[in-house]
Amino acid sequence: MTTEMSDTASNYDPAIVFDPATGLNPQAYYKMARAIGSVLPGPFGGHQVMTHESVEWVLQHPELFSSSMEAVDLGQTVPLIPLQVDPPDHSKYRKLLDPIFAPKKMNALEPDVTAMVNGLIDQFIDTGSCEFTTDISVPLPSQVFLRLLGLPLSELDMFLGMKTGILHPPGDDIDEMMKNQHTSAADVERYFTEALGERRRKPADDILSMFLAAEVDGAKLTDDEILGICFLFIIAGLDTVTDTLECFFSYLAQHPDQQARIVADPTIIPSAVEELLRWETPVTGVSRVATQDTEIFGCPVHAGEGINPTLGSANTDETFLPDAYIVDLARNPKHFAFGVGVHRCLGSHLARLELRTTLREWHKRIPAYSIVPGTELKVSYGLRQFESLPLVFG
Ligand code: HEM
């Protein structure tokens, strides 16, 4: 398939999202796709929704576009809570979870996260280079997550293995991949069932014990509900931060002027986080399923069809932000990188803390860096994960 971005509808091939060029430079793909239409055919059937206006409209209508288990199958046997629960039940879970992930609670973790980032940097700084993926972006979110759930750090490798098995199952064909994904899903369910049993016998000061004690509408959460929440945390809270860190540092490593801007004025870091989230949109889109025959901006949609609101395209839509193709680290933009509507990201404050802290501590200690010459970057589309990101300092 060609990597050239065509601008005519008849030439539009939805499989372009699998082209390596799209993962590397999704912003060019979004621009080409929006020029063709607000709603385009999806790579697995269904529809991709491309403009700022249409993405927002779809996500504000959960009664028409559900995010139930039909929208995404990751091999688990229980619905992911609260993502795969539609309103009105959805809000009872957010009422319970929102206070646990509130900005104040997350910001209290800042000293710990700062120590974790520095601990990781300590391990490679003297060598003058690092493999950003294995040295920082993969271990950091899992360390933070284990700390949050009160699980031992010694379980990091096992944990990373289960997570990879769900999100990137190995296999030569789709059947083998699905089989491996289901095995990993069963491992995660078993792991958390055991951890819950332990907390029930001996409550601790952690989130798992909090879930066991919590009541929703006057009733305790069932084990299946707690499992659904924990499962979603692994899927939603680990690779997303990993991918975002990789997108940020790949961009900065290729833009020394922007690195210098952060080093000269670290107070722009919170705004730089928002602008880089907008520009890179590491979670390029989300999944929904139509609950009835309807239409999206004139495009007929049938009940049961898959719908993919493309957040990255919405974030670079020039009808919403005229200079969307300029990256201005001080502009502090509004964006959809954490989603829109009722399912907007529960962990956004935790993610922001991890991103802010990594940018701050890294630039204090490593003010100039670039990608190792000769590296051919490979980035997936969907969840924008880098196969490798070797950096050299100075
Ligand atoms: C930079 C990192 C992150 C990005 C880009 C991100 C992105 C998103 C997006 C786009 C959604 C909307 C999904 C949809 O509408 O279908 C979402 C939902 C969610 N995210 Fe995040 N996320 C990040 C980090 C986290 C973290 C650290 C957690 C930790 C627990 C988390 C937990 C969740 C949960 C539970 C939901 C579902 C919320 C609901 O259905 O009400 N996310 N996230």
Side-chain angles (χ1 to χ4, degrees), residues 78-366:
V78 292
L80 303 173
I81 294 178
L83 184 63
Q84 295 183 326
V85 181
D86 287 323
D89 281 353
H90 173 263
S91 68
K92 70 179 188 188
Y93 294 113
R94 285 297 294 240
K95 260 190 221 142
L96 166 78
L97 294 169
D98 280 343
I100 298 176
F101 286 89
K104 234 185 174 168
K105 287 257 169 67
M106 294 302 103
N107 291 344
L109 295 173
E110 187 152 351
D112 281 3
V113 177
T114 303
M116 287 177 197
V117 172
N118 279 304
L120 291 170
I121 295 177
D122 285 346
Q123 290 176 27
F124 57 73
I125 189 161
D126 291 339
T127 68
S129 66
C130 75
E131 169 46 60
F132 190 79
T133 58
T134 45
D135 288 339
I136 293 258
S137 64
V138 172
L140 180 68
S142 291
Q143 285 190 7
V144 173
F145 185 81
L146 289 173
R147 152 82 178 73
L148 202 64
L149 262 72
L151 300 169
L153 199 57
S154 54
E155 291 179 5
L156 184 64
D157 287 343
M158 183 199 61
F159 209 72
L160 287 172
M162 291 195 298
K163 178 209 73 162
T164 306
I166 292 169
L167 292 172
H168 314 281
D172 292 334
D173 55 46
I174 188 80
D175 287 340
E176 199 184 337
M177 286 166 77
M178 295 282 284
K179 202 170 139 236
N180 286 328
Q181 188 183 52
H182 284 245
T183 307
S184 296
D187 288 345
V188 170
E189 291 186 3
R190 202 173 316 111
Y191 176 80
F192 278 111
T193 304
E194 277 168 24
L196 284 172
E198 262 170 45
R199 294 301 182 290
R200 204 167 261 127
R201 285 188 293 279
K202 200 170 157 219
D205 180 20
D206 59 37
I207 288 189
L208 285 182
S209 305
M210 209 181 291
F211 287 159
L212 284 171
E215 290 195 359
V216 174
D217 289 348
K220 287 253 163 90
L221 289 172
T222 64
D223 277 12
D224 273 359
E225 285 175 313
I226 300 179
L227 268 182
I229 295 173
C230 294
F231 203 108
L232 177 58
F233 282 3
I234 294 185
I235 292 166
L238 299 182
D239 269 22
T240 48
V241 181
T242 297
D243 302 349
T244 306
L245 285 168
E246 289 165 9
C247 286
F248 279 21
F249 277 81
S250 157
Y251 171 86
L252 290 168
Q254 295 174 77
H255 294 85
D257 50 327
Q258 304 278 38
Q259 286 172 30
R261 201 161 174 208
I262 292 178
V263 173
D265 182 7
T267 63
I268 67 164
I269 286 176
S271 150
V273 165
E274 303 309 315
E275 177 68 343
L276 289 172
L277 277 165
R278 178 192 75 78
W279 175 246
E280 294 291 332
T281 314
V283 179
T284 60
V286 295
S287 298
R288 297 292 184 265
V289 61
T291 58
Q292 54 186 267
D293 290 351
T294 181
E295 47 175 69
I296 305 172
F297 285 60
C299 170
V301 167
H302 300 294
E305 279 188 321
I307 310 291
N308 286 100
T310 306
L311 304 172
S313 180
N315 279 340
T316 48
D317 187 344
E318 286 152 308
T319 55
F320 174 70
L321 185 66
D323 60 352
Y325 278 70
I326 291 174
V327 179
D328 174 358
L329 298 184
R331 87 158 101 201
N332 204 13
K334 288 205 182 325
H335 60 75
F336 290 170
F338 287 122
V340 179
V342 291
H343 293 288
R344 203 173 168 285
C345 181
L346 173 74
S348 61
H349 305 298
L350 175 60
R352 285 184 167 117
L353 167 70
E354 293 180 52
L355 298 168
R356 226 176 37 229
T357 308
T358 308
L359 284 181
R360 188 186 62 225
E361 298 307 310
W362 176 284
H363 287 94
K364 262 191 217 163
R365 302 179 68 183
I366 309 172

